[in-house]
Amino acid sequence: MISEQASNLIAIAVCVLLSAFFSATETAFSSLNKTRLKVLAEKGNSRASLALTLSGDYDKLISTILIGNNVVNIAASAIATIFFVSLLGGIGPTVSTVVTTIVVLIFSEITPKSIAKDYPEAFAMFASPIIRAAMWAFAPLNYVFSLWKRMVSRLFGGRKSAGISQEELLMLLEEAEKEGELDQEEGELLRNAVEFGDLEAKDILTHRVDLEAVSITDSKEKIARVFTESRYSRLLVYEDTIDKIVGVIHLKDFYQGTGLFRGSIRNIMATPVYVYQTEKIGNLLRILQANKSHVAVVIDAYGGTLGIVTMEDILEEIVGDIWDEHDEVEEAFRLMENGVWTVDCSVSLDDFREHFSVAIDSDCVSLGGWVMEEMGRIPEEGDRFDYENLTVTVTKLDDRRVETVTVAVRPPEEEAREARE
């Protein structure tokens, strides 16, 4: 027959084991990836499906786990006190407290939670049937605690939890990349999709100075030459000035059969789509789709033509650059043999900031605009200025517009020496 001390030791061991189970289950359900469970559930895994169902009612789940954990911990403490008092007499309660605390910490908290943190989905699926039974057993207590929670929430002005923010989602993507769950290309694609809604038409447009357009009065031969030289499939048509875009000509409409179309250009022009410069590109995409158009004319605060945005420009914000057989591959940043960078000034100022890791406080969209802003005038070739650890030199102009610059990056020690001098 088992002695009383042996029975108490077995009871304490069972309580410690149950405490470890409840502690590990709490960590598993708070750390699991619901997406992984959904994938397993869709493949027919019944335990994954049950774990998803239980995690959907998290308040009831955590209440059940805490009730079970506290019951077995209190029971372990009480039985341990009886055991040590019968064994050691007056110092039994003190020894019981010390031993129980150490055992619970090591075997019921730290160890099981560490294991569950490493394998949250597997442990959640293992524990789900037992936790479901515990939920049924503790249903009356759960009901009482749910009423208490509602009262406390009303007392302290509790609110529904907000959905995940864009910043939090971007942080999750970054963590997924670091953990190897996403490769760099997948992460970039998802990041572009998340940030897609923040961009406006002015952020991705092709500026008016870079547009290929023809006048409504131009001859068909001249228009054909522009089509050939630009290799574009669409051309803008303006009347008097570029600020008055009146139509868009498509290459397939311009050439009919074996020659040029017959009749007036007005007969083959499509009506242009106009949008304001602050139009979100998500809305702009829907506008283009609704109008069955490939290009939108972006206007500024004065109603003038600021530039154009094409369907391709919008899609490139998500999937990256789209090249066809006629595109010339141009590098915006080219490192020369002397360690100096040659930079195309049509590059966005955001890309320039990111490439050289500098903080630039400016409302300019392009690098060229910022260079002119820093110079305070229309620069000449050879003009230069310093900004933080960069020396920017104008190398090429085109009709008062800065086309390229060189950027020399000074080492930190050189920059510090110049600051001291």
Side-chain angles (χ1 to χ4, degrees):
M1 187 173 180
I2 301 176
S3 65
E4 184 179 350
Q5 283 84 358
S7 298
N8 287 336
L9 280 175
I10 293 172
I12 292 170
V14 171
C15 288
V16 170
L17 186 62
L18 288 173
S19 178
F21 169 78
F22 284 118
S23 296
T25 302
E26 179 185 358
T27 300
F29 274 97
S30 62
S31 306
L32 61 79
N33 187 319
K34 288 188 176 182
T35 303
R36 291 176 185 165
L37 284 183
K38 286 179 182 177
V39 171
L40 292 172
E42 289 173 358
K43 291 180 178 178
N45 190 315
S46 59
R47 291 209 171 197
S49 180
L50 177 58
L52 270 177
T53 302
L54 294 179
S55 64
D57 191 357
Y58 191 74
D59 287 342
K60 189 175 180 180
L61 171 71
I62 201 69
S63 177
T64 299
I65 292 172
L66 291 176
I67 292 170
N69 207 9
N70 278 281
V71 166
V72 295
N73 282 341
I74 292 170
S77 179
I79 298 170
T81 301
I82 294 171
F83 173 78
F84 282 105
V85 167
S86 66
L87 198 65
L88 303 173
I91 63 170
T94 302
V95 175
S96 173
T97 301
V98 173
V99 172
T100 303
T101 301
I102 293 173
V103 169
V104 168
L105 271 176
I106 295 175
F107 298 104
S108 296
E109 293 293 331
I110 297 174
T111 303
K113 286 188 173 182
S114 297
I115 295 172
K117 183 68 171 64
D118 291 335
Y119 308 99
E121 293 82 19
F123 198 91
M125 289 189 289
F126 161 75
S128 291
I130 303 172
I131 293 298
R132 180 174 58 179
M135 281 183 168
W136 291 338
F138 298 147
L141 285 174
N142 277 330
Y143 177 71
V144 172
F145 288 137
S146 67
L147 293 178
W148 172 256
K149 178 181 178 296
R150 290 176 195 169
M151 186 180 72
V152 172
S153 295
R154 289 177 183 176
L155 183 64
F156 291 97
R159 61 181 180 85
K160 294 181 179 179
S161 59
I164 188 170
S165 67
Q166 179 176 328
E167 290 75 15
E168 291 169 332
L169 185 54
L170 289 172
M171 190 175 297
L172 287 174
L173 289 175
E174 185 176 343
E175 290 177 0
E177 282 188 76
K178 288 180 179 178
E179 293 174 3
E181 296 177 4
L182 292 174
D183 61 32
Q184 185 175 359
E185 290 183 0
E186 291 171 335
E188 186 66 26
L189 184 63
L190 290 171
R191 196 159 29 248
N192 290 343
V194 171
E195 296 173 341
F196 182 76
D198 292 336
L199 295 172
E200 298 176 347
K202 64 182 179 182
D203 297 324
I204 65 170
L205 60 77
T206 300
H207 199 272
R208 58 182 290 160
V209 298
D210 297 317
L211 296 181
E212 289 287 353
V214 295
S215 171
I216 190 72
T217 59
D218 283 344
S219 65
K220 295 177 184 177
E221 289 73 17
K222 182 177 179 179
I223 297 173
R225 188 165 58 251
V226 174
F227 265 123
T228 302
E229 292 174 354
S230 68
R231 296 184 176 180
Y232 290 149
S233 60
R234 293 171 180 82
L235 290 177
L236 298 176
V237 181
Y238 64 87
E239 187 173 356
D240 299 329
T241 72
I242 195 69
D243 286 315
K244 189 178 180 182
I245 303 295
V246 294
V248 180
I249 303 176
H250 197 290
L251 181 65
K252 68 179 179 60
D253 296 323
F254 186 73
Y255 289 99
Q256 297 177 355
T258 57
L260 304 181
F261 79 103
R262 296 180 180 180
S264 171
I265 293 177
R266 295 181 185 273
N267 296 334
I268 61 169
M269 288 191 321
T271 303
V273 174
Y274 293 96
V275 295
Y276 189 55
Q277 59 183 338
T278 56
E279 188 74 59
K280 297 290 186 182
I281 64 173
N283 295 333
L284 177 52
L285 179 59
R286 287 188 285 273
I287 291 171
L288 291 175
Q289 289 173 327
N291 288 274
K292 295 181 175 60
S293 179
H294 181 85
V295 59
V297 179
V298 182
I299 59 174
D300 58 23
Y302 302 99
T305 300
L306 187 63
I308 63 168
V309 173
T310 66
M311 188 76 77
E312 183 177 306
D313 294 330
I314 298 174
L315 295 179
E316 283 182 342
E317 290 305 314
I318 298 179
V319 301
D321 290 335
I322 301 172
W323 302 94
D324 61 34
E325 62 272 20
H326 299 304
D327 287 338
E328 294 182 10
V329 179
E330 297 180 358
E331 295 183 60
F333 300 90
R334 284 176 293 159
L335 183 60
M336 312 302 285
E337 292 182 356
N338 58 0
V340 175
W341 291 87
T342 296
V343 187
D344 187 335
C345 285
S346 64
V347 73
S348 73
L349 189 56
D350 286 338
D351 288 344
F352 183 82
R353 288 189 187 102
E354 182 178 351
H355 189 273
F356 290 105
S357 300
V358 291
I360 300 176
D361 184 15
S362 173
D363 293 328
C364 292
V365 176
S366 69
L367 172 61
W370 175 69
V371 170
M372 295 184 72
E373 181 181 76
E374 285 295 306
M375 300 290 293
R377 56 181 173 81
I378 298 173
E380 298 178 358
E381 290 185 6
D383 285 346
R384 68 176 59 191
F385 64 91
D386 292 330
Y387 189 91
E388 293 190 4
N389 65 323
L390 307 179
T391 298
V392 181
T393 305
V394 178
T395 55
K396 187 177 180 182
L397 294 170
D398 179 24
D399 192 23
R400 302 183 300 279
R401 183 165 59 99
V402 185
E403 277 203 344
T404 60
V405 296
T406 58
V407 180
V409 183
R410 297 191 300 278
E413 58 273 12
E414 181 181 331
E415 186 181 2
R417 185 171 62 254
E418 289 182 3
R420 288 195 298 270
E421 294 174 355

